[in-house]
Amino acid sequence: MIAIIKPVGSFCNIRCSYCFYHHTDQSNAGIMSYALLDKFTKEYIHSSKRNKLFIWHGGEPTLAGLEYFRKVVELQDKYKQSGQKIRNAIQTNGTTINDRWAKFFQEHDFSVGVSIDGCFSSHGMFRKNKAGKNSFKRTYRGIKKLEDYGINVGFIQTLTSSRIPFLAQDFDFFYDILQSRKWAMGTYLDIEGLNQDMLDESLSNEELSYALKRTAELWFEKDDNRLIIRELENLLFGVLGKRPSNCHYNGSCGQYFCMEMDGKIYPCDRFSSQKMYCWGDLNRESLQEIWEGENRKKYLKAVNKFPVECKECKWFTGCHNGCPSHRIGGLSGHYFFCQSRKEMFAFCQREIENHFSLEGGEMPCLDKLP
């Protein structure tokens, strides 16, 4: 089991239009109590002797404060078992990062991911501060500060319908300006239309296929086997019969859990605002009781009940019916982007065959696959 922890819940200092929590009150500045943090840390670390990964999410997790995270690592050191390794990863909007934060992340070997959509104009479409202004400058400043301390920052951008025309300039921004060799492409989809401000921004299957193909073309043009784009890498893994690394592809949903600020446990942060998916409450139960409880069992049964079409699909082992939050009709429904994913698996297969049919042909990143 891998933990996603939201120490401040959905509380955030900016207001991204496509955020999971955009329709909720993100101005609630609560922080997970030290008593709850202590109980969670002890039970999570002692749940087995395996190495443990803590993934810190929000909202904006750094709003808990630097002293709070000093307590985090203090508790981890206190409860760590002999021979056990503890790792921390944090996803941030980057706007709060200063020398003190960057030095802390460096000293404690945190993996740091920053959410940034691309260049100034692309980022500013939907990632605005509370005053409605582009948050790019503060995010970019935070990235530069992290780099000053030698931190290899990972990036994630979110694709929306309006951002499709800017794929090439944003690719160049990541590759040439940020000089990144690793980033991810999230997909905006609001199946139930909860977010009234983004009704026309959910991607269609056609738009997603176009975005991934165009990105692949730009990737091939660079011919840089250091460059890893998460979605393309996972598609290649699926085509080559290897296990994709990302949960949206490999069927590992249920092996993660998300703990909210108030101690309630959910499958992941995509479901943490939906009470029907709550597995339990750490204030009243132990982690082990929650993991072994009926709510999680029901979730796993539903999420692993695949449509017949999926079971008969040649790409099933590289797809697993996609992310459950993107299934039509609930956890056991059909993946919304099924058409696009089939198209992209076939596209990647053709590209592999074309590259290796050429004398001395090579394809970026294939040498990195295990």
Side-chain angles (χ1 to χ4, degrees), residues 173-194:
F173 171 78
F174 281 107
Y175 191 87
D176 296 323
I177 305 301
L178 291 182
Q179 297 189 338
S180 174
R181 296 302 178 262
K182 184 176 183 179
W183 69 84
M185 302 167 67
T187 304
Y188 180 72
L189 176 65
D190 181 10
I191 291 178
E192 298 180 0
L194 296 175

mmCIF file with all atom_site columns, all heavy atoms in Angstrom, residues 173-194:
data_model
loop_
_atom_site.group_PDB
_atom_site.id
_atom_site.type_symbol
_atom_site.label_atom_id
_atom_site.label_alt_id
_atom_site.label_comp_id
_atom_site.label_asym_id
_atom_site.label_entity_id
_atom_site.label_seq_id
_atom_site.pdbx_PDB_ins_code
_atom_site.Cartn_x
_atom_site.Cartn_y
_atom_site.Cartn_z
_atom_site.occupancy
_atom_site.B_iso_or_equiv
_atom_site.pdbx_formal_charge
_atom_site.auth_seq_id
_atom_site.auth_comp_id
_atom_site.auth_asym_id
_atom_site.auth_atom_id
_atom_site.pdbx_PDB_model_num
ATOM 1   N N   . PHE A 1 173 ? 8.789   24.638 -24.411 1.00 0.00 ? 173 PHE A N   1
ATOM 2   C CA  . PHE A 1 173 ? 8.998   25.275 -23.111 1.00 0.00 ? 173 PHE A CA  1
ATOM 3   C C   . PHE A 1 173 ? 9.574   24.270 -22.120 1.00 0.00 ? 173 PHE A C   1
ATOM 4   O O   . PHE A 1 173 ? 10.564  24.563 -21.428 1.00 0.00 ? 173 PHE A O   1
ATOM 5   C CB  . PHE A 1 173 ? 7.679   25.847 -22.583 1.00 0.00 ? 173 PHE A CB  1
ATOM 6   C CG  . PHE A 1 173 ? 7.761   26.318 -21.161 1.00 0.00 ? 173 PHE A CG  1
ATOM 7   C CD1 . PHE A 1 173 ? 8.356   27.532 -20.853 1.00 0.00 ? 173 PHE A CD1 1
ATOM 8   C CD2 . PHE A 1 173 ? 7.276   25.536 -20.126 1.00 0.00 ? 173 PHE A CD2 1
ATOM 9   C CE1 . PHE A 1 173 ? 8.452   27.966 -19.529 1.00 0.00 ? 173 PHE A CE1 1
ATOM 10  C CE2 . PHE A 1 173 ? 7.362   25.961 -18.805 1.00 0.00 ? 173 PHE A CE2 1
ATOM 11  C CZ  . PHE A 1 173 ? 7.957   27.178 -18.511 1.00 0.00 ? 173 PHE A CZ  1
ATOM 12  N N   . PHE A 1 174 ? 8.972   23.082 -22.027 1.00 0.00 ? 174 PHE A N   1
ATOM 13  C CA  . PHE A 1 174 ? 9.474   22.069 -21.100 1.00 0.00 ? 174 PHE A CA  1
ATOM 14  C C   . PHE A 1 174 ? 10.886  21.640 -21.476 1.00 0.00 ? 174 PHE A C   1
ATOM 15  O O   . PHE A 1 174 ? 11.761  21.520 -20.610 1.00 0.00 ? 174 PHE A O   1
ATOM 16  C CB  . PHE A 1 174 ? 8.543   20.850 -21.088 1.00 0.00 ? 174 PHE A CB  1
ATOM 17  C CG  . PHE A 1 174 ? 7.302   21.033 -20.267 1.00 0.00 ? 174 PHE A CG  1
ATOM 18  C CD1 . PHE A 1 174 ? 6.075   21.203 -20.873 1.00 0.00 ? 174 PHE A CD1 1
ATOM 19  C CD2 . PHE A 1 174 ? 7.354   21.048 -18.879 1.00 0.00 ? 174 PHE A CD2 1
ATOM 20  C CE1 . PHE A 1 174 ? 4.923   21.376 -20.124 1.00 0.00 ? 174 PHE A CE1 1
ATOM 21  C CE2 . PHE A 1 174 ? 6.220   21.227 -18.112 1.00 0.00 ? 174 PHE A CE2 1
ATOM 22  C CZ  . PHE A 1 174 ? 4.991   21.394 -18.740 1.00 0.00 ? 174 PHE A CZ  1
ATOM 23  N N   . TYR A 1 175 ? 11.115  21.392 -22.765 1.00 0.00 ? 175 TYR A N   1
ATOM 24  C CA  . TYR A 1 175 ? 12.389  20.823 -23.204 1.00 0.00 ? 175 TYR A CA  1
ATOM 25  C C   . TYR A 1 175 ? 13.513  21.861 -23.238 1.00 0.00 ? 175 TYR A C   1
ATOM 26  O O   . TYR A 1 175 ? 14.618  21.605 -22.753 1.00 0.00 ? 175 TYR A O   1
ATOM 27  C CB  . TYR A 1 175 ? 12.222  20.197 -24.586 1.00 0.00 ? 175 TYR A CB  1
ATOM 28  C CG  . TYR A 1 175 ? 13.398  19.358 -25.015 1.00 0.00 ? 175 TYR A CG  1
ATOM 29  C CD1 . TYR A 1 175 ? 13.486  18.009 -24.668 1.00 0.00 ? 175 TYR A CD1 1
ATOM 30  C CD2 . TYR A 1 175 ? 14.425  19.908 -25.785 1.00 0.00 ? 175 TYR A CD2 1
ATOM 31  C CE1 . TYR A 1 175 ? 14.569  17.244 -25.053 1.00 0.00 ? 175 TYR A CE1 1
ATOM 32  C CE2 . TYR A 1 175 ? 15.510  19.151 -26.167 1.00 0.00 ? 175 TYR A CE2 1
ATOM 33  C CZ  . TYR A 1 175 ? 15.586  17.817 -25.798 1.00 0.00 ? 175 TYR A CZ  1
ATOM 34  O OH  . TYR A 1 175 ? 16.661  17.051 -26.183 1.00 0.00 ? 175 TYR A OH  1
ATOM 35  N N   . ASP A 1 176 ? 13.234  23.037 -23.786 1.00 0.00 ? 176 ASP A N   1
ATOM 36  C CA  . ASP A 1 176 ? 14.290  24.025 -24.010 1.00 0.00 ? 176 ASP A CA  1
ATOM 37  C C   . ASP A 1 176 ? 14.426  25.036 -22.865 1.00 0.00 ? 176 ASP A C   1
ATOM 38  O O   . ASP A 1 176 ? 15.548  25.373 -22.479 1.00 0.00 ? 176 ASP A O   1
ATOM 39  C CB  . ASP A 1 176 ? 14.025  24.784 -25.322 1.00 0.00 ? 176 ASP A CB  1
ATOM 40  C CG  . ASP A 1 176 ? 14.093  23.882 -26.536 1.00 0.00 ? 176 ASP A CG  1
ATOM 41  O OD1 . ASP A 1 176 ? 14.953  22.976 -26.546 1.00 0.00 ? 176 ASP A OD1 1
ATOM 42  O OD2 . ASP A 1 176 ? 13.290  24.074 -27.469 1.00 0.00 ? 176 ASP A OD2 1
ATOM 43  N N   . ILE A 1 177 ? 13.309  25.528 -22.342 1.00 0.00 ? 177 ILE A N   1
ATOM 44  C CA  . ILE A 1 177 ? 13.371  26.553 -21.301 1.00 0.00 ? 177 ILE A CA  1
ATOM 45  C C   . ILE A 1 177 ? 13.592  25.922 -19.926 1.00 0.00 ? 177 ILE A C   1
ATOM 46  O O   . ILE A 1 177 ? 14.530  26.281 -19.207 1.00 0.00 ? 177 ILE A O   1
ATOM 47  C CB  . ILE A 1 177 ? 12.101  27.422 -21.291 1.00 0.00 ? 177 ILE A CB  1
ATOM 48  C CG1 . ILE A 1 177 ? 11.858  28.031 -22.683 1.00 0.00 ? 177 ILE A CG1 1
ATOM 49  C CG2 . ILE A 1 177 ? 12.219  28.504 -20.222 1.00 0.00 ? 177 ILE A CG2 1
ATOM 50  C CD1 . ILE A 1 177 ? 12.991  28.884 -23.193 1.00 0.00 ? 177 ILE A CD1 1
ATOM 51  N N   . LEU A 1 178 ? 12.723  24.960 -19.561 1.00 0.00 ? 178 LEU A N   1
ATOM 52  C CA  . LEU A 1 178 ? 12.915  24.276 -18.276 1.00 0.00 ? 178 LEU A CA  1
ATOM 53  C C   . LEU A 1 178 ? 14.026  23.234 -18.360 1.00 0.00 ? 178 LEU A C   1
ATOM 54  O O   . LEU A 1 178 ? 14.530  22.775 -17.336 1.00 0.00 ? 178 LEU A O   1
ATOM 55  C CB  . LEU A 1 178 ? 11.615  23.588 -17.844 1.00 0.00 ? 178 LEU A CB  1
ATOM 56  C CG  . LEU A 1 178 ? 10.457  24.502 -17.445 1.00 0.00 ? 178 LEU A CG  1
ATOM 57  C CD1 . LEU A 1 178 ? 9.263   23.658 -16.987 1.00 0.00 ? 178 LEU A CD1 1
ATOM 58  C CD2 . LEU A 1 178 ? 10.859  25.468 -16.346 1.00 0.00 ? 178 LEU A CD2 1
ATOM 59  N N   . GLN A 1 179 ? 14.391  22.871 -19.584 1.00 0.00 ? 179 GLN A N   1
ATOM 60  C CA  . GLN A 1 179 ? 15.402  21.831 -19.828 1.00 0.00 ? 179 GLN A CA  1
ATOM 61  C C   . GLN A 1 179 ? 15.050  20.532 -19.087 1.00 0.00 ? 179 GLN A C   1
ATOM 62  O O   . GLN A 1 179 ? 15.926  19.850 -18.553 1.00 0.00 ? 179 GLN A O   1
ATOM 63  C CB  . GLN A 1 179 ? 16.799  22.336 -19.442 1.00 0.00 ? 179 GLN A CB  1
ATOM 64  C CG  . GLN A 1 179 ? 17.242  23.522 -20.291 1.00 0.00 ? 179 GLN A CG  1
ATOM 65  C CD  . GLN A 1 179 ? 18.701  23.904 -20.077 1.00 0.00 ? 179 GLN A CD  1
ATOM 66  O OE1 . GLN A 1 179 ? 19.297  23.587 -19.050 1.00 0.00 ? 179 GLN A OE1 1
ATOM 67  N NE2 . GLN A 1 179 ? 19.283  24.559 -21.061 1.00 0.00 ? 179 GLN A NE2 1
ATOM 68  N N   . SER A 1 180 ? 13.768  20.250 -19.079 1.00 0.00 ? 180 SER A N   1
ATOM 69  C CA  . SER A 1 180 ? 13.295  19.023 -18.440 1.00 0.00 ? 180 SER A CA  1
ATOM 70  C C   . SER A 1 180 ? 13.452  17.846 -19.391 1.00 0.00 ? 180 SER A C   1
ATOM 71  O O   . SER A 1 180 ? 13.290  17.979 -20.605 1.00 0.00 ? 180 SER A O   1
ATOM 72  C CB  . SER A 1 180 ? 11.819  19.172 -18.059 1.00 0.00 ? 180 SER A CB  1
ATOM 73  O OG  . SER A 1 180 ? 11.306  17.956 -17.574 1.00 0.00 ? 180 SER A OG  1
ATOM 74  N N   . ARG A 1 181 ? 13.734  16.700 -18.823 1.00 0.00 ? 181 ARG A N   1
ATOM 75  C CA  . ARG A 1 181 ? 13.790  15.458 -19.607 1.00 0.00 ? 181 ARG A CA  1
ATOM 76  C C   . ARG A 1 181 ? 12.795  14.443 -19.073 1.00 0.00 ? 181 ARG A C   1
ATOM 77  O O   . ARG A 1 181 ? 12.848  13.270 -19.402 1.00 0.00 ? 181 ARG A O   1
ATOM 78  C CB  . ARG A 1 181 ? 15.213  14.882 -19.600 1.00 0.00 ? 181 ARG A CB  1
ATOM 79  C CG  . ARG A 1 181 ? 16.250  15.783 -20.272 1.00 0.00 ? 181 ARG A CG  1
ATOM 80  C CD  . ARG A 1 181 ? 15.901  16.076 -21.724 1.00 0.00 ? 181 ARG A CD  1
ATOM 81  N NE  . ARG A 1 181 ? 16.857  16.967 -22.382 1.00 0.00 ? 181 ARG A NE  1
ATOM 82  C CZ  . ARG A 1 181 ? 16.665  18.287 -22.528 1.00 0.00 ? 181 ARG A CZ  1
ATOM 83  N NH1 . ARG A 1 181 ? 15.557  18.856 -22.057 1.00 0.00 ? 181 ARG A NH1 1
ATOM 84  N NH2 . ARG A 1 181 ? 17.566  19.020 -23.134 1.00 0.00 ? 181 ARG A NH2 1
ATOM 85  N N   . LYS A 1 182 ? 11.853  14.941 -18.243 1.00 0.00 ? 182 LYS A N   1
ATOM 86  C CA  . LYS A 1 182 ? 10.827  14.049 -17.717 1.00 0.00 ? 182 LYS A CA  1
ATOM 87  C C   . LYS A 1 182 ? 9.616   14.871 -17.295 1.00 0.00 ? 182 LYS A C   1
ATOM 88  O O   . LYS A 1 182 ? 9.718   15.749 -16.457 1.00 0.00 ? 182 LYS A O   1
ATOM 89  C CB  . LYS A 1 182 ? 11.361  13.257 -16.513 1.00 0.00 ? 182 LYS A CB  1
ATOM 90  C CG  . LYS A 1 182 ? 10.378  12.225 -15.977 1.00 0.00 ? 182 LYS A CG  1
ATOM 91  C CD  . LYS A 1 182 ? 11.017  11.411 -14.861 1.00 0.00 ? 182 LYS A CD  1
ATOM 92  C CE  . LYS A 1 182 ? 10.060  10.325 -14.383 1.00 0.00 ? 182 LYS A CE  1
ATOM 93  N NZ  . LYS A 1 182 ? 10.667  9.496  -13.305 1.00 0.00 ? 182 LYS A NZ  1
ATOM 94  N N   . TRP A 1 183 ? 8.471   14.582 -17.918 1.00 0.00 ? 183 TRP A N   1
ATOM 95  C CA  . TRP A 1 183 ? 7.248   15.216 -17.473 1.00 0.00 ? 183 TRP A CA  1
ATOM 96  C C   . TRP A 1 183 ? 6.046   14.333 -17.802 1.00 0.00 ? 183 TRP A C   1
ATOM 97  O O   . TRP A 1 183 ? 6.155   13.339 -18.507 1.00 0.00 ? 183 TRP A O   1
ATOM 98  C CB  . TRP A 1 183 ? 7.089   16.626 -18.035 1.00 0.00 ? 183 TRP A CB  1
ATOM 99  C CG  . TRP A 1 183 ? 6.825   16.780 -19.501 1.00 0.00 ? 183 TRP A CG  1
ATOM 100 C CD1 . TRP A 1 183 ? 5.620   16.716 -20.135 1.00 0.00 ? 183 TRP A CD1 1
ATOM 101 C CD2 . TRP A 1 183 ? 7.796   17.087 -20.518 1.00 0.00 ? 183 TRP A CD2 1
ATOM 102 N NE1 . TRP A 1 183 ? 5.769   16.964 -21.478 1.00 0.00 ? 183 TRP A NE1 1
ATOM 103 C CE2 . TRP A 1 183 ? 7.095   17.193 -21.737 1.00 0.00 ? 183 TRP A CE2 1
ATOM 104 C CE3 . TRP A 1 183 ? 9.179   17.290 -20.511 1.00 0.00 ? 183 TRP A CE3 1
ATOM 105 C CZ2 . TRP A 1 183 ? 7.730   17.493 -22.946 1.00 0.00 ? 183 TRP A CZ2 1
ATOM 106 C CZ3 . TRP A 1 183 ? 9.809   17.570 -21.706 1.00 0.00 ? 183 TRP A CZ3 1
ATOM 107 C CH2 . TRP A 1 183 ? 9.096   17.665 -22.906 1.00 0.00 ? 183 TRP A CH2 1
ATOM 108 N N   . ALA A 1 184 ? 4.909   14.709 -17.238 1.00 0.00 ? 184 ALA A N   1
ATOM 109 C CA  . ALA A 1 184 ? 3.680   13.932 -17.405 1.00 0.00 ? 184 ALA A CA  1
ATOM 110 C C   . ALA A 1 184 ? 2.592   14.834 -17.962 1.00 0.00 ? 184 ALA A C   1
ATOM 111 O O   . ALA A 1 184 ? 2.617   16.060 -17.793 1.00 0.00 ? 184 ALA A O   1
ATOM 112 C CB  . ALA A 1 184 ? 3.241   13.327 -16.072 1.00 0.00 ? 184 ALA A CB  1
ATOM 113 N N   . MET A 1 185 ? 1.616   14.195 -18.613 1.00 0.00 ? 185 MET A N   1
ATOM 114 C CA  . MET A 1 185 ? 0.514   14.926 -19.230 1.00 0.00 ? 185 MET A CA  1
ATOM 115 C C   . MET A 1 185 ? -0.801  14.420 -18.643 1.00 0.00 ? 185 MET A C   1
ATOM 116 O O   . MET A 1 185 ? -1.275  13.335 -18.993 1.00 0.00 ? 185 MET A O   1
ATOM 117 C CB  . MET A 1 185 ? 0.533   14.734 -20.746 1.00 0.00 ? 185 MET A CB  1
ATOM 118 C CG  . MET A 1 185 ? 1.827   15.182 -21.401 1.00 0.00 ? 185 MET A CG  1
ATOM 119 S SD  . MET A 1 185 ? 1.984   14.614 -23.111 1.00 0.00 ? 185 MET A SD  1
ATOM 120 C CE  . MET A 1 185 ? 0.674   15.553 -23.901 1.00 0.00 ? 185 MET A CE  1
ATOM 121 N N   . GLY A 1 186 ? -1.375  15.187 -17.721 1.00 0.00 ? 186 GLY A N   1
ATOM 122 C CA  . GLY A 1 186 ? -2.675  14.834 -17.174 1.00 0.00 ? 186 GLY A CA  1
ATOM 123 C C   . GLY A 1 186 ? -3.782  15.172 -18.156 1.00 0.00 ? 186 GLY A C   1
ATOM 124 O O   . GLY A 1 186 ? -3.610  15.981 -19.066 1.00 0.00 ? 186 GLY A O   1
ATOM 125 N N   . THR A 1 187 ? -4.934  14.550 -17.981 1.00 0.00 ? 187 THR A N   1
ATOM 126 C CA  . THR A 1 187 ? -6.059  14.717 -18.903 1.00 0.00 ? 187 THR A CA  1
ATOM 127 C C   . THR A 1 187 ? -7.261  15.260 -18.147 1.00 0.00 ? 187 THR A C   1
ATOM 128 O O   . THR A 1 187 ? -7.701  14.663 -17.165 1.00 0.00 ? 187 THR A O   1
ATOM 129 C CB  . THR A 1 187 ? -6.434  13.367 -19.532 1.00 0.00 ? 187 THR A CB  1
ATOM 130 O OG1 . THR A 1 187 ? -5.287  12.807 -20.172 1.00 0.00 ? 187 THR A OG1 1
ATOM 131 C CG2 . THR A 1 187 ? -7.536  13.531 -20.559 1.00 0.00 ? 187 THR A CG2 1
ATOM 132 N N   . TYR A 1 188 ? -7.783  16.387 -18.611 1.00 0.00 ? 188 TYR A N   1
ATOM 133 C CA  . TYR A 1 188 ? -8.965  16.936 -17.951 1.00 0.00 ? 188 TYR A CA  1
ATOM 134 C C   . TYR A 1 188 ? -10.230 16.295 -18.506 1.00 0.00 ? 188 TYR A C   1
ATOM 135 O O   . TYR A 1 188 ? -10.489 16.319 -19.709 1.00 0.00 ? 188 TYR A O   1
ATOM 136 C CB  . TYR A 1 188 ? -9.057  18.451 -18.111 1.00 0.00 ? 188 TYR A CB  1
ATOM 137 C CG  . TYR A 1 188 ? -10.294 18.995 -17.424 1.00 0.00 ? 188 TYR A CG  1
ATOM 138 C CD1 . TYR A 1 188 ? -10.365 19.040 -16.037 1.00 0.00 ? 188 TYR A CD1 1
ATOM 139 C CD2 . TYR A 1 188 ? -11.414 19.391 -18.161 1.00 0.00 ? 188 TYR A CD2 1
ATOM 140 C CE1 . TYR A 1 188 ? -11.506 19.488 -15.386 1.00 0.00 ? 188 TYR A CE1 1
ATOM 141 C CE2 . TYR A 1 188 ? -12.556 19.840 -17.518 1.00 0.00 ? 188 TYR A CE2 1
ATOM 142 C CZ  . TYR A 1 188 ? -12.600 19.882 -16.133 1.00 0.00 ? 188 TYR A CZ  1
ATOM 143 O OH  . TYR A 1 188 ? -13.736 20.303 -15.495 1.00 0.00 ? 188 TYR A OH  1
ATOM 144 N N   . LEU A 1 189 ? -11.032 15.719 -17.602 1.00 0.00 ? 189 LEU A N   1
ATOM 145 C CA  . LEU A 1 189 ? -12.315 15.131 -17.973 1.00 0.00 ? 189 LEU A CA  1
ATOM 146 C C   . LEU A 1 189 ? -13.266 15.270 -16.795 1.00 0.00 ? 189 LEU A C   1
ATOM 147 O O   . LEU A 1 189 ? -12.954 14.834 -15.688 1.00 0.00 ? 189 LEU A O   1
ATOM 148 C CB  . LEU A 1 189 ? -12.150 13.644 -18.336 1.00 0.00 ? 189 LEU A CB  1
ATOM 149 C CG  . LEU A 1 189 ? -13.446 12.891 -18.646 1.00 0.00 ? 189 LEU A CG  1
ATOM 150 C CD1 . LEU A 1 189 ? -14.108 13.444 -19.906 1.00 0.00 ? 189 LEU A CD1 1
ATOM 151 C CD2 . LEU A 1 189 ? -13.171 11.395 -18.798 1.00 0.00 ? 189 LEU A CD2 1
ATOM 152 N N   . ASP A 1 190 ? -14.399 15.868 -17.039 1.00 0.00 ? 190 ASP A N   1
ATOM 153 C CA  . ASP A 1 190 ? -15.441 16.027 -16.018 1.00 0.00 ? 190 ASP A CA  1
ATOM 154 C C   . ASP A 1 190 ? -16.697 15.326 -16.539 1.00 0.00 ? 190 ASP A C   1
ATOM 155 O O   . ASP A 1 190 ? -17.552 15.945 -17.165 1.00 0.00 ? 190 ASP A O   1
ATOM 156 C CB  . ASP A 1 190 ? -15.688 17.510 -15.760 1.00 0.00 ? 190 ASP A CB  1
ATOM 157 C CG  . ASP A 1 190 ? -16.747 17.766 -14.694 1.00 0.00 ? 190 ASP A CG  1
ATOM 158 O OD1 . ASP A 1 190 ? -17.148 16.800 -14.022 1.00 0.00 ? 190 ASP A OD1 1
ATOM 159 O OD2 . ASP A 1 190 ? -17.174 18.934 -14.555 1.00 0.00 ? 190 ASP A OD2 1
ATOM 160 N N   . ILE A 1 191 ? -16.766 14.017 -16.307 1.00 0.00 ? 191 ILE A N   1
ATOM 161 C CA  . ILE A 1 191 ? -17.847 13.202 -16.870 1.00 0.00 ? 191 ILE A CA  1
ATOM 162 C C   . ILE A 1 191 ? -19.220 13.696 -16.427 1.00 0.00 ? 191 ILE A C   1
ATOM 163 O O   . ILE A 1 191 ? -20.168 13.750 -17.217 1.00 0.00 ? 191 ILE A O   1
ATOM 164 C CB  . ILE A 1 191 ? -17.657 11.720 -16.490 1.00 0.00 ? 191 ILE A CB  1
ATOM 165 C CG1 . ILE A 1 191 ? -16.429 11.147 -17.213 1.00 0.00 ? 191 ILE A CG1 1
ATOM 166 C CG2 . ILE A 1 191 ? -18.902 10.898 -16.854 1.00 0.00 ? 191 ILE A CG2 1
ATOM 167 C CD1 . ILE A 1 191 ? -16.132 9.713  -16.854 1.00 0.00 ? 191 ILE A CD1 1
ATOM 168 N N   . GLU A 1 192 ? -19.344 14.071 -15.167 1.00 0.00 ? 192 GLU A N   1
ATOM 169 C CA  . GLU A 1 192 ? -20.647 14.442 -14.618 1.00 0.00 ? 192 GLU A CA  1
ATOM 170 C C   . GLU A 1 192 ? -20.962 15.936 -14.759 1.00 0.00 ? 192 GLU A C   1
ATOM 171 O O   . GLU A 1 192 ? -22.047 16.378 -14.375 1.00 0.00 ? 192 GLU A O   1
ATOM 172 C CB  . GLU A 1 192 ? -20.724 14.034 -13.149 1.00 0.00 ? 192 GLU A CB  1
ATOM 173 C CG  . GLU A 1 192 ? -20.605 12.523 -12.945 1.00 0.00 ? 192 GLU A CG  1
ATOM 174 C CD  . GLU A 1 192 ? -20.680 12.151 -11.482 1.00 0.00 ? 192 GLU A CD  1
ATOM 175 O OE1 . GLU A 1 192 ? -20.832 13.063 -10.633 1.00 0.00 ? 192 GLU A OE1 1
ATOM 176 O OE2 . GLU A 1 192 ? -20.604 10.954 -11.179 1.00 0.00 ? 192 GLU A OE2 1
ATOM 177 N N   . GLY A 1 193 ? -20.041 16.702 -15.318 1.00 0.00 ? 193 GLY A N   1
ATOM 178 C CA  . GLY A 1 193 ? -20.289 18.122 -15.516 1.00 0.00 ? 193 GLY A CA  1
ATOM 179 C C   . GLY A 1 193 ? -20.451 18.902 -14.231 1.00 0.00 ? 193 GLY A C   1
ATOM 180 O O   . GLY A 1 193 ? -21.248 19.840 -14.145 1.00 0.00 ? 193 GLY A O   1
ATOM 181 N N   . LEU A 1 194 ? -19.673 18.543 -13.212 1.00 0.00 ? 194 LEU A N   1
ATOM 182 C CA  . LEU A 1 194 ? -19.771 19.219 -11.921 1.00 0.00 ? 194 LEU A CA  1
ATOM 183 C C   . LEU A 1 194 ? -19.167 20.620 -11.953 1.00 0.00 ? 194 LEU A C   1
ATOM 184 O O   . LEU A 1 194 ? -19.596 21.505 -11.228 1.00 0.00 ? 194 LEU A O   1
ATOM 185 C CB  . LEU A 1 194 ? -19.081 18.386 -10.838 1.00 0.00 ? 194 LEU A CB  1
ATOM 186 C CG  . LEU A 1 194 ? -19.687 17.016 -10.524 1.00 0.00 ? 194 LEU A CG  1
ATOM 187 C CD1 . LEU A 1 194 ? -18.811 16.281 -9.517  1.00 0.00 ? 194 LEU A CD1 1
ATOM 188 C CD2 . LEU A 1 194 ? -21.101 17.176 -9.985  1.00 0.00 ? 194 LEU A CD2 1
#
